[in-house]
Amino acid sequence: MTRPKPWEISDELWAVIEPLLPRHERRYRYPGRKRIDDRKTLQGILFVLYTGIQWEFLPQELGFGSGPTCWRRLAEWQAAGVWADLQQVLLDRLRAADRLDFSRATVDASHVQAKRGRSRPKVGPSPVDRARPGSKHHVLTNGNGIPLRVSLTGAHRDDVTQLLPLVDGLTPVRGKRGRPRRKPGVFRGAVGGRCRGRTRGRRTGLGRVRWVAEAAITHLHGPRRLRMRWESRDDMHDAFLQLAHCMVPARRLPAF
């Protein structure tokens, strides 16, 4: 059996994604050009994400539409909050399948060099790259390395600034009978002793175990588009980051 390409969307995964996308009713009078199929467009976006190709060089023979069309669709879905909704659905399904370890959570971050968007709020001088412009990807994972939340900041921002927003921003995860699970039992981080006082009384077990989060970051940076920032707009780079986050738990579900 041929291994599917990472940008190919299975029927089972599309059945989950399609209801979350905004609806567009075609006008009866002056309908204009027919809208390109959302599934094909999403595969075009994933093709750009995984290969790192520039939008304008997206091959037309693939049938995914033009690069500008895929770019506009990504911006539309990012503004509509599609990726946050999809993340919630996938995490619920993972918990229903007993593939989420809520006994502990880990937090870490990684720098990426920014080639564009140097004047944007979420780009700053990197302290680990000779003050070159860059951004930082923050990730909160569960006990077995599945990302629960990710966020984007400038490379100059300290990890401590995203610790509490990541943990407190975790929405209740359903999937089983009873009360939804909202917080991990034990929290471990790689953000230093300054966070211990801020999390004391709210989280327990803050330590230095970081390999789980590092493994999650490796999966997030598997797509070439996230290894270096080429987007001038913060929201578009964050859209790629959130979409990559969606694909990690999707690949952990056997049905997809």
Side-chain angles (χ1 to χ4, degrees):
M1 181 181 296
T2 304
R3 183 177 180 180
K5 304 293 191 300
W7 51 83
E8 294 178 351
I9 302 295
S10 65
D11 294 338
E12 294 78 11
L13 180 56
W14 180 244
V16 175
I17 298 175
E18 187 177 20
L20 305 177
L21 301 179
R23 298 293 181 182
H24 293 273
E25 297 294 337
R26 197 176 185 194
R27 294 176 299 180
Y28 177 76
R29 189 178 185 186
Y30 305 117
R33 182 179 298 179
K34 186 176 180 181
R35 182 181 173 92
I36 297 179
D37 180 68
D38 284 337
R39 182 174 180 175
K40 293 181 179 179
T41 307
L42 177 56
Q43 291 184 135
I45 294 170
L46 289 171
F47 185 87
V48 174
L49 172 65
Y50 279 100
T51 64
I53 193 173
Q54 297 182 37
W55 289 108
E56 57 268 28
F57 297 144
L58 181 64
Q60 293 294 295
E61 57 269 22
L62 295 177
F64 298 152
S66 67
T69 297
C70 294
W71 185 94
R72 288 191 296 269
R73 205 71 58 89
L74 177 62
E76 174 191 342
W77 292 339
Q78 170 73 359
V82 171
W83 312 130
D85 294 340
L86 180 57
Q87 291 163 12
Q88 185 65 52
V89 172
L90 294 174
L91 290 177
D92 290 346
R93 288 177 173 248
L94 281 171
R95 187 169 183 234
D98 286 324
R99 291 177 177 265
L100 276 185
D101 179 9
F102 268 100
S103 63
R104 64 176 181 175
T106 310
V107 65
D108 203 354
S110 177
H111 297 80
V112 292
Q113 190 177 138
K115 294 298 186 180
R116 297 179 182 175
R118 299 189 179 191
S119 60
R120 298 292 179 173
K122 295 185 179 180
V123 174
S126 174
V128 299
D129 194 17
R130 300 182 182 180
R132 293 189 178 96
S135 295
K136 186 180 287 189
H137 299 159
H138 304 262
V139 59
L140 172 70
T141 76
N142 76 327
N144 49 17
I146 296 177
L148 302 176
R149 278 186 63 83
V150 295
S151 65
L152 173 69
T153 67
H156 60 295
R157 297 292 298 277
D158 198 315
D159 294 357
V160 70
T161 63
Q162 292 299 299
L163 172 60
L164 297 182
L166 282 172
V167 177
D168 293 336
L170 182 61
T171 56
V173 180
R174 299 172 175 82
K176 290 186 176 182
R177 296 181 60 183
R179 180 178 297 180
R181 189 65 185 265
R182 183 178 179 88
K183 303 300 180 186
V186 176
F187 182 77
R188 301 180 183 275
V191 289
R194 287 172 293 174
C195 297
R196 299 179 187 272
R198 300 183 64 178
T199 56
R200 187 175 292 115
R202 304 179 62 182
R203 312 287 177 262
T204 59
L206 184 63
R208 298 181 179 178
V209 179
R210 61 188 301 173
W211 66 268
V212 176
E214 290 176 344
I217 290 175
T218 300
H219 287 297
L220 286 174
H221 287 178
R224 294 185 178 181
R225 192 75 180 200
L226 288 178
R227 300 175 191 175
M228 187 172 294
R229 173 170 172 167
W230 293 99
E231 293 71 41
S232 59
R233 288 173 44 174
D234 289 336
D235 62 328
M236 295 304 290
H237 187 71
D238 186 57
F240 275 131
L241 180 61
Q242 301 300 330
L243 177 56
H245 173 201
C246 293
M247 300 311 296
V248 174
R251 302 308 183 195
R252 298 291 186 96
L253 288 167
F256 301 151

